[in-house]
């Protein structure tokens, strides 16, 4: 014990500058709060484990229920989006059929009109040729 006290006094004398009285010298401050002590792990009582397991399973059930509900809602949303997309494609199909029908009608009328004008031109050229003879 005396050796420890002497070592502490020697360390304080070395650390403190000369000419400073011993009463004004500062002792190094130890922070014991930062030092952790080891404790033996103790198993909780059997009732505590049972209660903790029930609590864990209850929370896990709540979590899984939420996950499954969210997934179900996502699939319902996708189903609704697919139905709407299908309806839009049916509308676009009807529009395309109408456009195709109208183009065929216009093409037929164009052929009839061009055919008549071609026939009338040929008739005119024939008449002109006959007159020139």
């Amino acid at each position: 014990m005396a050796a420890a006290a002497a070592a502490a006094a020697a360390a304080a004398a070395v650390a403190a500058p000369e000419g400073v009285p011993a009463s004004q010298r500062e002792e190094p401050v130890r922070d014991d709060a930062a030092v952790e002590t080891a404790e033996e792990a103790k198993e909780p009582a059997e009732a505590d484990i049972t209660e903790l397991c029930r609590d864990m399973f209850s929370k896990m059930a709540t979590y899984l229920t939420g996950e499954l509900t969210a997934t179900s809602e996502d699939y319902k949303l996708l189903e609704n989006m697919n139905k709407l997309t299908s309806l839009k494609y049916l509308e676009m199909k009807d529009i395309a059929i109408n456009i195709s029908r109208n183009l065929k009608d216009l093409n037929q009328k164009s052929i009839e009109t061009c055919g008549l004008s071609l026939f009338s031109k040929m008739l005119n050229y024939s008449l002109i040729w006959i007159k020139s003879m």
Side-chain angles (χ1 to χ4, degrees):
M1 186 77 161
V14 171
E18 290 186 31
V20 177
S23 62
Q24 292 181 355
R25 292 184 190 159
E26 291 184 23
E27 290 289 325
V29 179
R30 288 186 175 175
D31 189 12
D32 289 335
V35 177
E36 294 183 22
T37 59
E39 293 182 13
E40 181 181 348
K42 298 176 184 173
E43 291 188 25
E46 201 57 41
D48 291 342
I49 291 175
T50 305
E51 185 60 34
L52 290 172
C53 287
R54 283 190 184 131
D55 187 45
M56 180 194 67
F57 281 115
S58 172
K59 289 179 180 178
M60 185 63 77
T62 303
Y63 170 76
L64 290 175
T65 301
E67 286 292 316
L68 291 174
T69 302
T71 302
S72 175
E73 289 174 0
D74 287 345
Y75 279 116
K76 286 178 185 176
L77 176 64
L78 283 173
E79 183 180 9
N80 289 338
M81 290 171 61
N82 285 338
K83 286 178 183 177
L84 287 174
T85 303
S86 176
L87 290 174
K88 285 293 182 181
Y89 277 123
L90 287 175
E91 289 176 14
M92 290 170 55
K93 176 186 166 192
D94 292 340
I95 291 170
I97 288 172
N98 287 336
I99 290 173
S100 176
R101 187 180 316 125
N102 289 337
L103 283 175
K104 285 180 184 176
D105 290 346
L106 283 173
N107 192 25
Q108 185 64 32
K109 288 178 183 178
S110 172
I111 289 173
E112 290 172 2
T113 304
C114 289
L116 288 177
S117 66
L118 181 61
F119 178 72
S120 66
K121 284 181 184 178
M122 287 174 43
L123 185 60
N124 283 338
Y125 286 130
S126 298
L127 290 174
I128 292 172
W129 182 72
I130 291 175
K131 287 183 184 178
S132 66
M133 293 181 133

